[in-house]
Amino acid sequence: MSETKFKPLRYRQIHLDFHTSEHIPDVGAAFDAEDFVATLKAAHVDSITVFAKCHHGWSYYPTKVGKPHPNLARPDLMGEMISACAAADIETPVYISVQWDELSAREHPEWRVMSATNQFSRALANDPSSLKQLSPAWHTICLNHQGARDYILDQAREVASNYKTQGLFFDIVLTPDCVCSACIDRMIAEGLDPENPADRLKNDEAVNEEFRRYISDALFAEYPEQRVFYNCGHIHKMGRHRFDTYSHLELESLPTGGWGYDHFPSSARYAATLGFDFLGQTGKFHTAWGEFGGFKHAEALTYEAAQMVALGAKCLVGDQLHPNGAINHDTYRSIAPAYERIERLEPFLKGARQVSEVAILAAEYFHPNGDRNNASDDGAAQMLQELKLPFDVIDGTASFEPYRLVILPDTIPIDAALAARLKSYVAAGGRLLLSGQSGIGADGFALDLGLEAANGLVEFTPSYLRADPDALDASLPHSPFVMYGTGQAIVSGAATVLASVVPSYFNRNYRHFCSHQHTPDDPAAGTIGAGVTEYQGIGYVAFPIFQMYHAYGQPLYKYIIRGLIRRLMPDPVLVTDLPSAARATLTRQEAEGRHVLHLLYGAPQVRGKGVPTEAGPTRVLEMIEDVPAIGPVTAKVRLGSRPSRIFDALTGADVDWQMLQDGRVEVTLPRLHIHSALVLEGV
């Protein structure tokens, strides 16, 4: 679906949850339309997603399709919100819960998902009952039932016909591993094996696509200007065609809710390549969605909103309204500083596009598993963020030509068609960086890496790497350092070897072991293969280094990649002296003839060390509280011409800068607190 006919998304949005049990009385009784709107305006909010139907299955307007909440004190709570906001020029997209609908699960048990693993969200871990019937769980609806599809479409039509809304947000369109009789019949008809988890995922995805197509075809035909979005908690890197039924994208990524602070940048750098208008979705909650009485620090929201716009997204903060309908003033006091900043920045955000020299070819595209992200992709994105290298994340359908360097992290299979594309790209001057199994097939190397052979896996786990710091990176040690992963056994050929694999004395087992953790390197054994190489514009690391960095965070692994990139791309568009926890992006406003440099610093800290999870084990919680100012900081930008002026977007104050002899522009910022946007005019 082309996004051109839809009005641009607004920059300062709220997503208002309202999942309210039928056992709570006087629902919405304290709602005050005047206070509601005044609170939103004071927080600089210009759009708020309001609720038609919640996860409990109840509706909050006089519906003839569904059922109003039995204790709804204001018969048209949603309508009152829409009318009041419209008068204040606040947009009101409408929320409809899809697969989590407890009322429908009770009234239509034939629509229920039958999970192959009997897993249901929010279920009790020790509940053995069928479909977790004895748990306070969401009992998911299977979309492979025409009655369920028609119910959602009829309610969507009812809302779109009777209310002045800008769009519909369909929440919870999941891959629930369903083996109900309808799904089993469908899998057998399609030649899929219901006992194979990968085939069940294919079926779930196909059922969801049929649902999305059914809903969008009807809505876009009848309400052509209404936006439509389907939420599943992640924007899967499956190609632009995956989103043909969408008007825009919303990147759900609540850092404290289990997504972490590295998820959104990776998703945003993919979404920005697809041509959609898109939103970042965070929340005001301390832990996860739906938390009552949880508050995120205002500086965290300021950082998160600034990061969104720096990456080309509009902003959205999730909230949940109390069942009594009274808006929480403390929540919006914490949102106000972030949105006041974004409002002032908007002239420097509209139409801005990322300047990216590097692309990460997403392993998720080649290995879809229904999860939020792939560890190799995450590790690569984390490294490039810490190195402040502007990059995009692309899928296998994207063009390589816009980029100087393409990274194939760890597990990218290269068939004949992809090999031909990559060879053409390198022949035209492009550069590649591969790691682990990427580029190695059953018949050897898919590309000419200047290596003689790939002989399976290195015998020793872990093994060690001995690098040449002078040739690779000065921060690497001269002595061997441990590699927390199993590498490929590579025989070097014409390639330049920048680091070699060193064995240990033996692998640790009951027969022989040494010390507490793993056996040391064997100095007498020499080297047993190439570990890091470069050949005719292609760098290669024999280990799954991006997975390893994501798991262990060993800075030496990042320095290996930094050294390779410097050899392959010695003059990057952006260099800064910001610390590794800081972030930097460069955008271009073509119509205005200017670049905008975003510098951010708000290092998350692990504060929660035992947050419960649905699966049973606990997780850590990263958070941002009090962000110290840093500075002075400098950045060098290669633009190709001399700017006419450089100034701070928020204050309008001029910023010190100079032209360097190599043609780059160097800017100096005396102080950086959370975020600065520097405007480089005339370039």
Side-chain angles (χ1 to χ4, degrees):
M1 171 59 60
S2 170
E3 72 278 8
T4 55
K5 70 180 185 179
F6 303 103
K7 290 176 60 179
L9 295 167
R10 293 191 171 182
Y11 275 91
R12 293 165 275 119
Q13 302 200 27
I14 297 294
H15 181 101
L16 193 62
D17 272 355
F18 197 64
H19 305 298
T20 306
S21 168
E22 61 271 21
H23 299 289
I24 292 180
D26 301 321
V27 173
F31 175 73
D32 183 323
E34 183 177 344
D35 182 51
F36 186 78
V37 169
T39 303
L40 297 176
K41 296 294 282 188
H44 304 268
V45 172
D46 58 13
S47 178
I48 181 168
T49 301
V50 297
F51 34 85
K53 187 187 74 176
C54 73
H55 293 344
H56 290 276
W58 301 114
S59 298
Y60 298 91
Y61 67 100
T63 177
K64 296 180 181 178
V65 175
K67 290 186 178 180
H69 194 290
N71 301 322
L72 191 58
R74 311 179 77 89
D76 196 4
L77 179 59
M78 182 187 77
E80 288 189 59
M81 291 180 173
I82 291 173
S83 296
C85 288
D89 189 29
I90 298 173
E91 288 192 349
T92 48
V94 170
Y95 174 99
I96 296 175
S97 185
V98 176
Q99 286 185 280
W100 289 349
D101 181 336
E102 285 297 289
L103 179 61
S104 289
R106 292 194 297 270
E107 294 185 342
H108 293 279
E110 73 278 11
W111 293 353
R112 286 191 182 194
V113 161
M114 296 184 68
S115 168
T117 53
N118 202 32
Q119 291 183 349
F120 293 85
S121 186
R122 275 71 178 177
L124 300 175
N126 60 352
D127 175 11
S129 65
S130 178
L131 306 183
K132 299 292 184 180
Q133 191 62 29
L134 297 179
S135 281
W138 301 120
H139 296 98
T140 311
I141 299 298
C142 174
L143 296 175
N144 198 16
H145 298 273
Q146 191 61 42
R149 298 180 187 185
D150 287 338
Y151 179 52
I152 297 298
L153 179 56
D154 289 345
Q155 186 157 42
R157 282 174 165 147
E158 182 179 58
V159 169
S161 297
N162 296 330
Y163 295 92
K164 187 179 180 180
T165 178
Q166 294 74 35
L168 295 163
F169 181 98
F170 295 101
D171 197 17
I172 313 299
V173 182
L174 308 172
T175 53
D177 205 25
C178 188
V179 290
C180 73
S181 58
C183 283
I184 287 179
D185 288 346
R186 188 188 185 284
M187 282 187 268
I188 292 172
E190 294 293 326
L192 300 174
D193 179 5
E195 295 185 272
N196 184 330
D199 281 2
R200 295 198 300 267
L201 178 60
K202 288 179 183 177
N203 184 69
D204 282 345
E205 291 284 5
V207 167
N208 288 350
E209 180 57 25
E210 290 170 2
F211 166 78
R212 290 189 293 261
R213 179 63 63 187
Y214 181 69
I215 300 296
S216 287
D217 283 353
L219 294 180
F220 287 143
E222 297 170 34
Y223 313 97
E225 295 184 357
Q226 290 240 349
R227 305 185 193 108
V228 171
F229 176 74
Y230 303 91
N231 188 46
C232 64
H234 178 61
I235 299 299
H236 293 286
K237 301 175 180 70
M238 298 170 65
R240 195 188 192 284
H241 65 87
R242 165 66 171 73
F243 307 104
D244 286 344
T245 52
Y246 294 60
S247 61
H248 68 286
L249 301 178
E250 302 195 25
L251 280 56
E252 182 179 1
S253 189
L254 180 58
T256 55
W259 283 258
Y261 272 94
D262 285 326
H263 175 266
F264 174 75
S266 178
S267 286
R269 290 182 182 275
Y270 176 64
T273 70
L274 299 178
F276 285 96
D277 205 359
F278 67 103
L279 282 167
Q281 279 193 7
T282 186
K284 72 96 177 186
F285 314 105
H286 177 67
T287 57
W289 290 102
E291 176 185 60
F292 289 108
F295 296 92
K296 181 178 287 182
H297 197 278
E299 290 197 352
L301 289 170
T302 296
Y303 175 84
E304 290 167 22
Q307 180 174 239
M308 289 177 194
V309 298
L311 292 170
K314 301 338 183 10
C315 304
L316 179 146
V317 178
D319 182 23
Q320 179 158 227
L321 191 67
H322 191 279
N324 68 14
I327 194 166
N328 188 290
H329 297 143
D330 290 313
T331 291
Y332 290 86
R333 276 192 286 269
S334 68
I335 294 170
Y339 276 3
E340 189 273 336
R341 167 185 290 261
I342 301 305
E343 185 173 22
R344 286 193 285 150
L345 284 174
E346 284 183 26
F348 307 99
L349 306 174
K350 293 176 180 177
R353 295 290 181 265
Q354 294 293 312
V355 176
S356 296
E357 295 187 302
V358 181
I360 298 169
L361 181 56
E364 182 183 340
Y365 176 82
F366 299 91
H367 306 284
N369 59 13
D371 292 335
R372 286 178 184 159
N373 256 12
N374 178 285
S376 297
D377 296 341
D378 281 358
Q382 182 182 347
M383 277 195 192
L384 295 191
Q385 287 184 87
E386 293 174 7
L387 294 172
K388 268 70 73 179
L389 287 169
F391 69 97
D392 289 339
V393 178
I394 61 174
D395 60 62
T397 68
S399 172
F400 304 143
E401 279 61 39
Y403 306 101
R404 299 176 65 193
L405 171 68
V406 176
I407 296 174
L408 283 68
D410 298 344
T411 60
I412 305 295
I414 300 180
D415 60 16
L418 180 55
R421 292 177 58 204
L422 292 170
K423 290 174 183 176
S424 176
Y425 169 72
V426 172
R431 298 291 182 260
L432 297 176
L433 195 162
L434 297 80
S435 62
Q437 295 177 337
S438 293
I440 300 177
D443 299 323
F445 298 106
L447 301 172
D448 184 2
L449 304 182
L451 302 172
E452 289 186 3
N455 297 327
L457 298 176
V458 171
E459 177 184 356
F460 299 92
T461 300
S463 56
Y464 294 78
L465 206 63
R466 178 184 287 122
D468 179 353
D470 296 330
L472 189 53
D473 190 281
S475 295
L476 293 171
H478 288 83
S479 58
F481 53 91
V482 67
M483 301 299 285
Y484 300 109
T486 304
Q488 301 292 317
I490 301 299
V491 179
S492 61
T496 300
V497 177
L498 303 170
S500 298
V501 179
V502 175
S504 64
Y505 288 97
F506 43 76
N507 284 329
R508 185 182 182 94
N509 60 37
Y510 77 95
R511 295 171 57 209
H512 41 59
F513 60 91
C514 179
S515 190
H516 298 297
Q517 189 167 342
H518 48 251
T519 312
D521 64 286
D522 181 357
T527 62
I528 56 172
V532 182
T533 63
E534 181 196 354
Y535 180 70
Q536 296 184 352
I538 304 177
Y540 176 71
V541 181
F543 292 82
I545 196 163
F546 298 109
Q547 292 179 17
M548 291 160 57
Y549 190 68
H550 181 257
Y552 290 93
Q554 167 56 268
L556 297 177
Y557 303 162
K558 179 173 62 180
Y559 303 155
I560 291 171
I561 298 301
R562 180 175 67 185
L564 265 180
I565 291 176
R566 283 176 176 169
R567 292 178 66 96
L568 297 168
M569 195 180 70
D571 56 341
V573 68
L574 174 63
V575 176
T576 84
D577 61 0
L578 288 168
S580 60
R583 302 290 181 257
T585 70
L586 183 66
T587 64
R588 167 75 172 159
Q589 285 184 298
E590 190 68 35
E592 289 79 7
R594 64 190 179 205
H595 285 79
V596 181
L597 175 63
H598 294 271
L599 306 175
L600 298 104
Y601 180 75
Q605 296 178 327
V606 173
R607 295 283 187 87
K609 300 177 177 66
V611 180
T613 67
E614 291 185 48
T618 61
R619 65 173 175 87
V620 299
L621 186 150
E622 292 180 310
M623 63 167 289
I624 293 172
E625 184 185 2
D626 39 5
V627 181
I630 61 173
V633 298
T634 62
K636 300 173 184 177
V637 187
R638 178 174 45 77
L639 298 173
S641 62
R642 183 183 183 89
S644 58
R645 182 189 175 206
I646 301 179
F647 62 93
D648 187 294
L650 284 171
T651 66
D654 286 340
V655 175
D656 289 339
W657 64 279
Q658 61 177 324
M659 289 295 299
L660 302 178
Q661 289 185 348
D662 61 9
R664 292 184 297 173
V665 178
E666 182 180 75
V667 296
T668 301
L669 198 63
R671 181 178 185 270
L672 172 63
H673 183 235
I674 300 179
H675 170 243
S676 286
L678 307 182
V679 183
L680 293 84
E681 289 276 17
V683 288

